[in-house]
Amino acid sequence: MEIQAKKKFGQNFISDENLINKIIATLGNNQDQLIIEIGPGTGALTKKLVEKFSKVIAIEIDSDMEPILKNKIQNDNFIFFLSDVLEVDFEELIKSYRTSPQQKVSIISNMPYYITSEILFKTFKLHSYLEKAVFMMQKEVAVRVCANKGENNYNNLSIAAEFFADKKYEFTVSKGMFRPIPKVDSAIISLTFKNEKNDLVKDNEKFIAFVRKLFNNKRKTILNNLSMLTNDKEQANKLLDEVMLNKNLRPEAIGIDDFIKLYNAYSK
């Protein structure tokens, strides 16, 4: 019996074995990993993950998938949670199931498109625990996440991803590979967490919020956006002078290192 995808959960199922193997390969060859899969659906990807890695935790919101997954996958290294991913305490989950503090942890998901940003930012908060995240998302969003300074799609999401990880656009996935067929193509991206820049700011979350506000109006200069944030154009001028940043630049023309310098000057 064919399982019907539910639109309210943003479900689109993949079954092509070559594609599944290609996605899993992006997680690397370290088999002693704790893998957390978000939205396993009918388990086509999950089954392969369980065969390769030492422990796999699957988090699924759709109760109809529970008997399907538990029937299909009965391995001892498979753990199933019926839950809304946005309500899961990932930190507690990792601490409970990781075999040691040194064990690598990676997240993988064919992301429900309607909560892509929420899952991304939830993942960023876990950066110190994670080795890697492999996400399938709408191609348009994937291009945005992986964009670099000066590119049209570069925005606060691009900077957040770069702040926490080495980001990579892996490959495009045609919409024809899914059932039901969505309206747009998807893409696989990988985030390899490096935690190099996190010590450069006082508060990671406040830094990301600061950058987001500076992208509120991409058509305005950094001076105008910063003036709106500070409610004081004179102060904005002084801050930009302090970090020697061209006041006429637009946010998309500014790299992450300059945003870090500007935030540190602003938050003193």
Side-chain angles (χ1 to χ4, degrees):
M1 184 179 73
E2 186 177 347
I3 305 298
Q4 295 298 313
K6 296 184 177 72
K7 192 173 182 180
K8 67 176 179 178
F9 294 139
Q11 291 174 338
N12 289 287
F13 300 135
I14 52 173
S15 58
D16 184 274
E17 194 159 332
N18 290 330
L19 174 59
I20 289 167
N21 289 335
K22 194 174 177 183
I23 294 168
I24 291 175
T26 61
L27 285 169
N29 293 317
N30 178 5
Q31 295 182 2
D32 184 32
Q33 287 192 69
L34 171 61
I35 304 294
I36 301 173
E37 185 186 11
I38 299 168
T42 58
L45 188 67
T46 320
K47 198 169 189 303
K48 294 278 188 179
L49 290 169
V50 167
E51 290 169 3
K52 180 172 181 178
F53 296 103
S54 62
K55 186 159 295 199
V56 177
I57 298 172
I59 301 167
E60 175 60 58
I61 194 172
D62 185 357
S63 58
D64 288 347
M65 298 300 158
E66 183 171 7
I68 295 167
L69 284 160
K70 287 184 174 178
N71 182 58
K72 184 181 285 188
I73 307 167
Q74 298 178 10
N75 306 52
D76 291 339
N77 63 328
F78 175 62
I79 299 160
F80 177 84
F81 283 102
L82 183 65
S83 180
D84 180 342
V85 67
L86 299 182
E87 296 176 2
V88 173
D89 184 337
F90 274 86
E91 196 168 335
E92 191 58 41
L93 192 70
I94 289 167
K95 287 177 180 176
S96 298
Y97 288 97
R98 194 164 55 170
T99 55
S100 74
Q102 289 73 43
Q103 187 183 28
K104 304 296 185 185
V105 182
S106 293
I107 291 178
I108 189 167
S109 180
N110 174 9
M111 292 171 106
Y113 292 159
Y114 69 103
I115 52 169
T116 296
S117 291
E118 290 93 330
I119 292 176
L120 277 170
F121 282 103
K122 197 172 175 76
T123 303
F124 294 153
K125 287 182 181 179
L126 295 167
H127 64 92
S128 61
Y129 292 95
L130 297 178
E131 171 80 359
K132 205 163 195 178
V134 174
F135 291 133
M136 184 186 294
M137 59 183 67
Q138 283 185 346
K139 182 180 178 182
E140 175 188 344
V141 181
V143 168
R144 203 176 302 146
V145 172
C146 295
N148 295 307
K149 179 181 78 170
E151 296 176 358
N152 286 336
N153 291 288
Y154 183 71
N155 70 356
N156 62 287
L157 193 55
S158 321
I159 293 167
E162 186 177 352
F163 182 67
F164 292 109
D166 287 325
K167 55 191 184 181
K168 183 180 179 186
Y169 186 102
E170 296 282 354
F171 54 90
T172 302
V173 181
S174 166
K175 59 189 176 185
M177 303 289 286
F178 295 91
R179 292 295 178 271
I181 298 175
K183 294 179 181 178
V184 295
D185 288 336
S186 296
I188 298 291
I189 70 160
S190 65
L191 301 169
T192 303
F193 292 89
K194 52 187 180 179
N195 306 317
E196 290 173 356
K197 295 188 183 293
N198 310 137
D199 293 334
L200 300 178
V201 301
K202 297 174 186 176
D203 187 308
N204 291 341
E205 288 186 40
K206 287 182 179 177
F207 168 68
I208 298 302
F210 172 78
V211 172
R212 182 180 287 178
K213 287 172 184 173
L214 292 180
F215 274 88
N216 275 348
N217 195 328
K218 285 181 70 176
R219 296 192 174 189
K220 291 192 173 183
T221 64
I222 189 64
L223 174 59
N224 286 333
N225 278 290
L226 187 58
S227 298
M228 290 171 69
L229 178 58
T230 61
N231 291 316
D232 185 338
K233 193 165 187 176
E234 187 178 343
Q235 184 193 3
N237 267 297
K238 285 180 180 177
L239 288 169
L240 291 167
D241 284 339
E242 183 179 335
V243 298
M244 294 182 290
L245 195 55
N246 184 338
K247 299 167 189 176
N248 295 316
L249 290 176
R250 290 180 177 175
E252 66 263 30
I254 298 171
I256 188 169
D257 292 333
D258 282 325
F259 276 114
I260 288 171
K261 288 176 189 173
L262 185 57
Y263 170 75
N264 285 336
Y266 167 79
S267 60
K268 276 195 295 193

